[in-house]
Amino acid sequence: MFSSLSRERIALAAAIFGPLAVAGVLIPFRTAISGANMALVLVVAVVAVAAIGNRLAGALAALSAAVWFDYFLTEPYERFTIAANTDVLTAILLLVVGLAVSQLAARAHRLHLITVTDADQLSWIHRTTQLVQSGAAPNQVVNQVRPELVDLMHLRGCRFEEGLLLGRPPRLEPDGSITPKPVHSSSHAGELPDADVELRVCADGVYYGRFMLTPTPGHAVPLQARLVAVTLADQVAEAFDAVHTSRPDRRT
């Protein structure tokens, strides 16, 4: 089983070289197949990358697909120039659609790992989603999620550190694993380390802060609960990202 770091590296490599390989396969057929159909094939490659990786990998794959579509599959061939207006539009749509479906695929990859059978867990996710969609300030979302994490993981405590990244505490990863792996004998059952565990709040490669989780000694936290915790942290990240991207100095 790949570690999360290995999986991310594989996804990033696939994001760069996957669309290139697909475009290369399409070269012999570029005069027989319409640009729109070749773009659809490249979109499938983007979705495949996003499904095994994350949003960054999906976005990179979408950009790679648009670049190689331009270079190999539109006239004049093997130049970063597009002669036909229809091909220009197709390239733009390939990038836009690729970005959109890659984000959906990345989210679906996360959600298909979570089977929420607990009514409280479903309620927490639903309430937090509603709060984020209402445009609530990030600190409001943090204040709602913090006690939810305590209940979800049966923690002794939980605090949020905005913008801080000090030390190297154990980390709850996006796939629900803990790195470095706890050394005590019951770690296979989901028991957290004795020290505080970091749950980072990031969106699209931007770090906003972290929840510091204080475990209850001897209490196992199932993988399902850890994945729900990651989902809640992702929702907090969305609240921060909405403010981050709406600032005038962040607009392009």
Side-chain angles (χ1 to χ4, degrees), residues 17 42 94 114 134 234 243 250:
F17 298 109
L42 286 167
L94 170 59
I114 306 175
S134 73
D234 283 348
V243 174
R250 297 291 181 184

Side-chain angles (χ1 to χ4, degrees), residues 2-19:
F2 291 118
S3 67
S4 60
L5 182 58
S6 297
R7 187 189 189 99
E8 288 178 4
R9 288 176 176 171
I10 292 171
L12 289 175
I16 297 172
F17 298 109

Side-chain angles (χ1 to χ4, degrees), residues 2-211:
F2 291 118
S3 67
S4 60
L5 182 58
S6 297
R7 187 189 189 99
E8 288 178 4
R9 288 176 176 171
I10 292 171
L12 289 175
I16 297 172
F17 298 109
L20 172 60
V22 172
V25 171
L26 290 173
I27 288 176
F29 310 100
R30 61 191 177 188
T31 58
I33 302 176
S34 70
N37 286 335
M38 290 188 290
L40 287 175
V41 175
L42 286 167
V43 167
V44 173
V46 173
V47 173
V49 170
I52 65 170
N54 51 27
R55 293 182 178 183
L56 175 60
L60 185 58
L63 179 60
S64 176
V67 167
W68 299 125
F69 174 78
D70 173 6
Y71 189 76
F72 287 116
L73 305 178
T74 65
E75 296 181 345
Y77 298 126
E78 297 171 17
R79 290 177 57 189
F80 290 112
T81 304
I82 301 178
N85 290 336
T86 54
D87 286 338
V88 173
L89 180 59
T90 300
I92 294 173
L93 289 175
L94 170 59
L95 177 60
V96 172
V97 173
L99 287 171
V101 299
S102 70
Q103 305 314 298
L104 292 174
R107 180 177 291 274
H109 170 69
R110 167 71 52 72
L111 293 179
H112 96 275
L113 294 173
I114 306 175
T115 304
V116 181
T117 57
D118 186 283
D120 287 337
Q121 293 177 5
L122 183 60
S123 175
W124 292 332
I125 293 174
H126 179 65
R127 285 205 320 262
T128 307
T129 300
Q130 285 188 316
L131 185 61
V132 173
Q133 291 178 344
S134 73
N139 67 305
Q140 291 180 266
V141 184
V142 168
N143 289 336
Q144 176 167 296
V145 167
R146 190 169 55 240
E148 293 173 347
L149 291 174
V150 171
D151 289 343
L152 173 67
M153 305 180 73
H154 299 277
L155 304 172
R156 285 189 298 157
C158 176
R159 66 185 186 276
F160 183 75
E161 298 178 347
E162 184 174 350
L164 295 177
L165 191 56
L166 303 176
R168 287 183 154 184
R171 184 189 309 169
L172 177 56
E173 300 286 0
D175 64 356
S177 64
I178 304 293
T179 55
K181 185 176 180 180
V183 296
H184 42 68
S185 58
S186 59
S187 61
H188 67 278
E191 186 176 338
L192 299 180
D194 296 331
D196 284 0
V197 176
E198 172 186 73
L199 173 56
R200 292 188 177 184
V201 174
C202 307
D204 296 327
V206 180
Y207 172 79
Y208 294 108
R210 62 185 179 182
F211 288 98

